[in-house]
Amino acid sequence: MNTLKERIQQLKEEKNAVILAHYYAPPEVQEIADYIGDSFYLSKLAVKLDNPVLVFCGVSFMGESAKLLNPEKTVLMPDASADCPMAHMVDKSVIDAARAQYDDLAVVCYVNSTAQIKSWSDVCVTSANAVKIVRRLPNQHILFIPDRNLGHFVAEQVPEKHFLYNEGYCPRHEFMSAEEIAALKEEHPAAQILVHPECNSAITAMADYIGSTSGIIHYAGEHTDCREFIIGTVSGVIYKLKESRPDAQFYFPKTRPSCQDMEQITLEQVAHVLETGENAVALPPETVSAQAKHTLEQMLKLAQ
Ligand code: 13P
Ligand code: SF4
């Protein structure tokens, strides 16, 4: 009798499929993935891979982006209901009002967004490349959507530009408790605080480092003189953190931050979609997909 992992391996070979997982996916899913990474790494990778079938262990905007960039490939989502609430938090009227106000406005869209929202925008960014891309834009006025926290973080790094914001946020990072982080620091004064820019400003104000999930993992990997870290992002990153720094201690807020949507993905679901081809991502209508794909390609170009 094959184990579930052996079954997945066998199905992957039969279908010439590859499994991609975000750092927030459960550890057992990251364990069977061919590639694990942040949103930027996974979107770059999706374009490079030759396999005709991609199994995306992440939320819907990630699968949708992979499909937009590779319309000829089959992108399977193990859990079709895994979605990112922030990806929907933009009202078109916010964009229309900003465009009416500034002629040279660039609408900069965090990749955590639906294809429809991307299609209203000029360029996509991820948390790993947002600063670099905004600096490289010729535009003076920037409307940053959907995430106001990431928008404010980018604005601080690019003070020469004028920013407008949208009232979107990631509930997991926005409602993380600054008091719980401060309590951890009191308990472990030697620990450095590493946080994601989606966190609220009370948390980023305490941080020694603010960066994407891969940025946090690299920082801990490089700062070998430090053996204790307080982590302000979803606890799924522990899998890679422990792998790169088995000698270090990682502390998360007492109310453990979890991205339930990614954490609900199971090995059974991975095997099921490989077996049946169910939950294949459909391309949005041509009017939406052409412009949404363009904003993603602009990101890949400007991030080089
Ligand atoms: P990364 O850009 O670090 O992959 O983060 C994505 C995300 O959804 C964070 O909440
Ligand atoms: Fe969305 Fe937040 Fe989950 Fe990231 S952690 S996918 S922003 S809900």
mmCIF file of all heavy atoms in Angstrom, residues 176-211:
data_model
loop_
_atom_site.group_PDB
_atom_site.id
_atom_site.type_symbol
_atom_site.label_atom_id
_atom_site.label_comp_id
_atom_site.label_asym_id
_atom_site.label_seq_id
_atom_site.Cartn_x
_atom_site.Cartn_y
_atom_site.Cartn_z
ATOM 1 N N MET A 176 -2.265 41.744 14.478
ATOM 2 C CA MET A 176 -1.229 41.150 15.334
ATOM 3 C C MET A 176 -1.005 42.133 16.486
ATOM 4 O O MET A 176 -1.063 43.352 16.288
ATOM 5 C CB MET A 176 0.052 40.991 14.510
ATOM 6 C CG MET A 176 0.961 39.899 14.997
ATOM 7 S SD MET A 176 2.422 39.813 13.949
ATOM 8 C CE MET A 176 1.797 39.039 12.470
ATOM 9 N N SER A 177 -0.732 41.582 17.672
ATOM 10 C CA SER A 177 -0.684 42.462 18.844
ATOM 11 C C SER A 177 0.720 43.008 19.115
ATOM 12 O O SER A 177 1.660 42.248 19.378
ATOM 13 C CB SER A 177 -1.212 41.680 20.059
ATOM 14 O OG SER A 177 -0.739 42.248 21.239
ATOM 15 N N ALA A 178 0.838 44.328 19.072
ATOM 16 C CA ALA A 178 2.112 44.988 19.383
ATOM 17 C C ALA A 178 2.489 44.718 20.844
ATOM 18 O O ALA A 178 3.663 44.563 21.166
ATOM 19 C CB ALA A 178 1.998 46.484 19.129
ATOM 20 N N GLU A 179 1.477 44.622 21.726
ATOM 21 C CA GLU A 179 1.745 44.356 23.150
ATOM 22 C C GLU A 179 2.383 42.976 23.305
ATOM 23 O O GLU A 179 3.307 42.792 24.101
ATOM 24 C CB GLU A 179 0.434 44.395 23.978
ATOM 25 C CG GLU A 179 -0.154 45.781 24.169
ATOM 26 C CD GLU A 179 -0.807 46.331 22.890
ATOM 27 O OE1 GLU A 179 -1.226 45.527 22.017
ATOM 28 O OE2 GLU A 179 -0.864 47.570 22.756
ATOM 29 N N GLU A 180 1.912 42.017 22.532
ATOM 30 C CA GLU A 180 2.470 40.664 22.644
ATOM 31 C C GLU A 180 3.916 40.623 22.145
ATOM 32 O O GLU A 180 4.755 39.915 22.679
ATOM 33 C CB GLU A 180 1.597 39.665 21.874
ATOM 34 C CG GLU A 180 0.268 39.411 22.561
ATOM 35 C CD GLU A 180 -0.595 38.371 21.880
ATOM 36 O OE1 GLU A 180 -0.121 37.682 20.950
ATOM 37 O OE2 GLU A 180 -1.764 38.255 22.262
ATOM 38 N N ILE A 181 4.209 41.428 21.104
ATOM 39 C CA ILE A 181 5.589 41.495 20.596
ATOM 40 C C ILE A 181 6.469 42.170 21.653
ATOM 41 O O ILE A 181 7.575 41.713 21.943
ATOM 42 C CB ILE A 181 5.654 42.285 19.255
ATOM 43 C CG1 ILE A 181 4.755 41.628 18.193
ATOM 44 C CG2 ILE A 181 7.086 42.516 18.795
ATOM 45 C CD1 ILE A 181 5.429 40.778 17.159
ATOM 46 N N ALA A 182 5.951 43.253 22.241
ATOM 47 C CA ALA A 182 6.718 43.977 23.267
ATOM 48 C C ALA A 182 6.980 43.069 24.474
ATOM 49 O O ALA A 182 8.076 43.084 25.052
ATOM 50 C CB ALA A 182 5.962 45.233 23.689
ATOM 51 N N ALA A 183 5.983 42.255 24.829
ATOM 52 C CA ALA A 183 6.156 41.330 25.974
ATOM 53 C C ALA A 183 7.248 40.311 25.661
ATOM 54 O O ALA A 183 8.070 39.979 26.531
ATOM 55 C CB ALA A 183 4.834 40.631 26.284
ATOM 56 N N LEU A 184 7.288 39.840 24.410
ATOM 57 C CA LEU A 184 8.338 38.880 24.017
ATOM 58 C C LEU A 184 9.714 39.522 24.122
ATOM 59 O O LEU A 184 10.675 38.899 24.560
ATOM 60 C CB LEU A 184 8.095 38.397 22.580
ATOM 61 C CG LEU A 184 7.006 37.336 22.387
ATOM 62 C CD1 LEU A 184 6.725 37.120 20.904
ATOM 63 C CD2 LEU A 184 7.420 36.019 23.035
ATOM 64 N N LYS A 185 9.792 40.782 23.720
ATOM 65 C CA LYS A 185 11.079 41.490 23.757
ATOM 66 C C LYS A 185 11.551 41.654 25.215
ATOM 67 O O LYS A 185 12.743 41.557 25.501
ATOM 68 C CB LYS A 185 10.930 42.852 23.050
ATOM 69 C CG LYS A 185 12.180 43.680 22.994
ATOM 70 C CD LYS A 185 13.230 43.124 22.031
ATOM 71 C CE LYS A 185 14.486 43.958 22.059
ATOM 72 N NZ LYS A 185 15.586 43.393 21.300
ATOM 73 N N GLU A 186 10.591 41.885 26.087
ATOM 74 C CA GLU A 186 10.952 42.025 27.503
ATOM 75 C C GLU A 186 11.483 40.708 28.065
ATOM 76 O O GLU A 186 12.453 40.671 28.809
ATOM 77 C CB GLU A 186 9.727 42.476 28.293
ATOM 78 C CG GLU A 186 10.065 43.627 29.226
ATOM 79 C CD GLU A 186 8.826 44.187 29.850
ATOM 80 O OE1 GLU A 186 8.406 43.674 30.910
ATOM 81 O OE2 GLU A 186 8.286 45.125 29.248
ATOM 82 N N GLU A 187 10.838 39.629 27.621
ATOM 83 C CA GLU A 187 11.244 38.288 28.076
ATOM 84 C C GLU A 187 12.590 37.868 27.482
ATOM 85 O O GLU A 187 13.359 37.153 28.089
ATOM 86 C CB GLU A 187 10.179 37.305 27.562
ATOM 87 C CG GLU A 187 9.555 36.394 28.587
ATOM 88 C CD GLU A 187 8.519 35.527 27.891
ATOM 89 O OE1 GLU A 187 7.435 36.051 27.523
ATOM 90 O OE2 GLU A 187 8.797 34.346 27.659
ATOM 91 N N HIS A 188 12.832 38.298 26.218
ATOM 92 C CA HIS A 188 14.050 37.892 25.488
ATOM 93 C C HIS A 188 14.744 39.139 24.949
ATOM 94 O O HIS A 188 14.684 39.422 23.747
ATOM 95 C CB HIS A 188 13.682 36.963 24.314
ATOM 96 C CG HIS A 188 12.794 35.829 24.695
ATOM 97 N ND1 HIS A 188 13.250 34.701 25.334
ATOM 98 C CD2 HIS A 188 11.452 35.652 24.543
ATOM 99 C CE1 HIS A 188 12.243 33.880 25.561
ATOM 100 N NE2 HIS A 188 11.139 34.437 25.092
ATOM 101 N N PRO A 189 15.388 39.908 25.825
ATOM 102 C CA PRO A 189 15.945 41.202 25.393
ATOM 103 C C PRO A 189 17.004 41.100 24.301
ATOM 104 O O PRO A 189 17.210 42.048 23.551
ATOM 105 C CB PRO A 189 16.532 41.785 26.681
ATOM 106 C CG PRO A 189 16.495 40.705 27.698
ATOM 107 C CD PRO A 189 15.561 39.648 27.258
ATOM 108 N N ALA A 190 17.661 39.944 24.169
ATOM 109 C CA ALA A 190 18.716 39.813 23.146
ATOM 110 C C ALA A 190 18.127 39.500 21.761
ATOM 111 O O ALA A 190 18.848 39.533 20.755
ATOM 112 C CB ALA A 190 19.693 38.718 23.548
ATOM 113 N N ALA A 191 16.836 39.194 21.720
ATOM 114 C CA ALA A 191 16.234 38.781 20.443
ATOM 115 C C ALA A 191 16.045 39.967 19.505
ATOM 116 O O ALA A 191 15.711 41.072 19.956
ATOM 117 C CB ALA A 191 14.887 38.117 20.706
ATOM 118 N N GLN A 192 16.278 39.739 18.226
ATOM 119 C CA GLN A 192 15.974 40.774 17.225
ATOM 120 C C GLN A 192 14.540 40.564 16.734
ATOM 121 O O GLN A 192 14.069 39.426 16.624
ATOM 122 C CB GLN A 192 16.941 40.677 16.057
ATOM 123 C CG GLN A 192 18.352 41.082 16.433
ATOM 124 C CD GLN A 192 19.197 41.405 15.206
ATOM 125 O OE1 GLN A 192 18.703 41.919 14.205
ATOM 126 N NE2 GLN A 192 20.465 41.094 15.283
ATOM 127 N N ILE A 193 13.890 41.681 16.407
ATOM 128 C CA ILE A 193 12.489 41.618 15.958
ATOM 129 C C ILE A 193 12.447 41.738 14.433
ATOM 130 O O ILE A 193 12.872 42.752 13.874
ATOM 131 C CB ILE A 193 11.655 42.746 16.618
ATOM 132 C CG1 ILE A 193 11.748 42.644 18.154
ATOM 133 C CG2 ILE A 193 10.210 42.709 16.145
ATOM 134 C CD1 ILE A 193 10.984 43.734 18.908
ATOM 135 N N LEU A 194 11.954 40.683 13.764
ATOM 136 C CA LEU A 194 11.871 40.669 12.295
ATOM 137 C C LEU A 194 10.400 40.596 11.897
ATOM 138 O O LEU A 194 9.700 39.669 12.309
ATOM 139 C CB LEU A 194 12.610 39.447 11.722
ATOM 140 C CG LEU A 194 13.949 39.030 12.361
ATOM 141 C CD1 LEU A 194 14.534 37.832 11.609
ATOM 142 C CD2 LEU A 194 14.932 40.184 12.377
ATOM 143 N N VAL A 195 9.938 41.572 11.111
ATOM 144 C CA VAL A 195 8.498 41.607 10.819
ATOM 145 C C VAL A 195 8.225 41.838 9.333
ATOM 146 O O VAL A 195 9.047 42.386 8.602
ATOM 147 C CB VAL A 195 7.756 42.686 11.657
ATOM 148 C CG1 VAL A 195 8.111 42.593 13.128
ATOM 149 C CG2 VAL A 195 8.027 44.090 11.146
ATOM 150 N N HIS A 196 7.027 41.433 8.932
ATOM 151 C CA HIS A 196 6.571 41.639 7.552
ATOM 152 C C HIS A 196 5.999 43.063 7.436
ATOM 153 O O HIS A 196 5.368 43.546 8.390
ATOM 154 C CB HIS A 196 5.486 40.602 7.229
ATOM 155 C CG HIS A 196 5.265 40.406 5.763
ATOM 156 N ND1 HIS A 196 4.498 41.263 5.011
ATOM 157 C CD2 HIS A 196 5.727 39.461 4.903
ATOM 158 C CE1 HIS A 196 4.489 40.831 3.747
ATOM 159 N NE2 HIS A 196 5.224 39.740 3.658
ATOM 160 N N PRO A 197 6.187 43.728 6.266
ATOM 161 C CA PRO A 197 5.660 45.102 6.142
ATOM 162 C C PRO A 197 4.130 45.186 6.128
ATOM 163 O O PRO A 197 3.588 46.295 6.168
ATOM 164 C CB PRO A 197 6.241 45.592 4.807
ATOM 165 C CG PRO A 197 6.669 44.374 4.077
ATOM 166 C CD PRO A 197 6.976 43.329 5.107
ATOM 167 N N GLU A 198 3.434 44.051 6.105
ATOM 168 C CA GLU A 198 1.969 44.091 6.225
ATOM 169 C C GLU A 198 1.529 44.337 7.669
ATOM 170 O O GLU A 198 0.346 44.561 7.924
ATOM 171 C CB GLU A 198 1.354 42.769 5.756
ATOM 172 C CG GLU A 198 1.393 42.569 4.258
ATOM 173 C CD GLU A 198 0.873 41.209 3.849
ATOM 174 O OE1 GLU A 198 0.244 40.523 4.667
ATOM 175 O OE2 GLU A 198 1.102 40.818 2.693
ATOM 176 N N CYS A 199 2.492 44.290 8.615
ATOM 177 C CA CYS A 199 2.130 44.515 10.025
ATOM 178 C C CYS A 199 1.718 45.966 10.255
ATOM 179 O O CYS A 199 2.136 46.870 9.524
ATOM 180 C CB CYS A 199 3.329 44.211 10.925
ATOM 181 S SG CYS A 199 3.685 42.466 11.083
ATOM 182 N N ASN A 200 0.962 46.184 11.324
ATOM 183 C CA ASN A 200 0.540 47.548 11.660
ATOM 184 C C ASN A 200 1.748 48.361 12.135
ATOM 185 O O ASN A 200 2.785 47.794 12.517
ATOM 186 C CB ASN A 200 -0.595 47.523 12.694
ATOM 187 C CG ASN A 200 -0.161 46.883 13.994
ATOM 188 O OD1 ASN A 200 0.715 47.408 14.679
ATOM 189 N ND2 ASN A 200 -0.763 45.753 14.342
ATOM 190 N N SER A 201 1.595 49.694 12.146
ATOM 191 C CA SER A 201 2.754 50.567 12.388
ATOM 192 C C SER A 201 3.302 50.457 13.809
ATOM 193 O O SER A 201 4.487 50.701 14.047
ATOM 194 C CB SER A 201 2.395 52.016 12.054
ATOM 195 O OG SER A 201 1.295 52.400 12.829
ATOM 196 N N ALA A 202 2.461 50.057 14.784
ATOM 197 C CA ALA A 202 2.959 49.898 16.160
ATOM 198 C C ALA A 202 3.990 48.773 16.187
ATOM 199 O O ALA A 202 4.944 48.813 16.971
ATOM 200 C CB ALA A 202 1.803 49.582 17.103
ATOM 201 N N ILE A 203 3.822 47.792 15.333
ATOM 202 C CA ILE A 203 4.769 46.663 15.288
ATOM 203 C C ILE A 203 6.004 47.031 14.463
ATOM 204 O O ILE A 203 7.139 46.799 14.899
ATOM 205 C CB ILE A 203 4.069 45.394 14.732
ATOM 206 C CG1 ILE A 203 3.063 44.897 15.775
ATOM 207 C CG2 ILE A 203 5.091 44.309 14.382
ATOM 208 C CD1 ILE A 203 2.279 43.684 15.381
ATOM 209 N N THR A 204 5.806 47.622 13.293
ATOM 210 C CA THR A 204 6.981 47.940 12.463
ATOM 211 C C THR A 204 7.897 48.941 13.187
ATOM 212 O O THR A 204 9.108 48.914 13.001
ATOM 213 C CB THR A 204 6.571 48.472 11.062
ATOM 214 O OG1 THR A 204 5.656 49.550 11.220
ATOM 215 C CG2 THR A 204 5.958 47.391 10.201
ATOM 216 N N ALA A 205 7.301 49.787 14.043
ATOM 217 C CA ALA A 205 8.120 50.766 14.784
ATOM 218 C C ALA A 205 9.105 50.076 15.736
ATOM 219 O O ALA A 205 10.139 50.646 16.079
ATOM 220 C CB ALA A 205 7.205 51.702 15.570
ATOM 221 N N MET A 206 8.802 48.857 16.140
ATOM 222 C CA MET A 206 9.686 48.146 17.096
ATOM 223 C C MET A 206 10.719 47.272 16.383
ATOM 224 O O MET A 206 11.586 46.689 17.025
ATOM 225 C CB MET A 206 8.834 47.205 17.969
ATOM 226 C CG MET A 206 7.996 47.885 18.996
ATOM 227 S SD MET A 206 7.250 46.624 20.075
ATOM 228 C CE MET A 206 5.792 46.198 19.176
ATOM 229 N N ALA A 207 10.588 47.153 15.054
ATOM 230 C CA ALA A 207 11.355 46.114 14.346
ATOM 231 C C ALA A 207 12.820 46.459 14.132
ATOM 232 O O ALA A 207 13.183 47.609 13.912
ATOM 233 C CB ALA A 207 10.695 45.846 13.000
ATOM 234 N N ASP A 208 13.671 45.424 14.176
ATOM 235 C CA ASP A 208 15.068 45.564 13.760
ATOM 236 C C ASP A 208 15.165 45.365 12.254
ATOM 237 O O ASP A 208 16.086 45.848 11.611
ATOM 238 C CB ASP A 208 15.932 44.487 14.442
ATOM 239 C CG ASP A 208 15.954 44.679 15.941
ATOM 240 O OD1 ASP A 208 16.603 45.648 16.369
ATOM 241 O OD2 ASP A 208 15.313 43.897 16.674
ATOM 242 N N TYR A 209 14.235 44.625 11.700
ATOM 243 C CA TYR A 209 14.226 44.373 10.249
ATOM 244 C C TYR A 209 12.779 44.242 9.787
ATOM 245 O O TYR A 209 11.965 43.580 10.439
ATOM 246 C CB TYR A 209 15.005 43.086 9.923
ATOM 247 C CG TYR A 209 14.876 42.691 8.480
ATOM 248 C CD1 TYR A 209 15.643 43.326 7.493
ATOM 249 C CD2 TYR A 209 13.962 41.712 8.085
ATOM 250 C CE1 TYR A 209 15.495 42.992 6.154
ATOM 251 C CE2 TYR A 209 13.820 41.370 6.743
ATOM 252 C CZ TYR A 209 14.587 42.010 5.783
ATOM 253 O OH TYR A 209 14.443 41.682 4.458
ATOM 254 N N ILE A 210 12.473 44.892 8.640
ATOM 255 C CA ILE A 210 11.135 44.774 8.042
ATOM 256 C C ILE A 210 11.343 44.235 6.636
ATOM 257 O O ILE A 210 12.095 44.827 5.839
ATOM 258 C CB ILE A 210 10.421 46.147 7.956
ATOM 259 C CG1 ILE A 210 10.400 46.834 9.320
ATOM 260 C CG2 ILE A 210 9.015 45.998 7.386
ATOM 261 C CD1 ILE A 210 9.941 48.298 9.271
ATOM 262 N N GLY A 211 10.711 43.128 6.310
ATOM 263 C CA GLY A 211 10.887 42.589 4.962
ATOM 264 C C GLY A 211 9.924 41.461 4.665
ATOM 265 O O GLY A 211 9.164 41.002 5.539
#
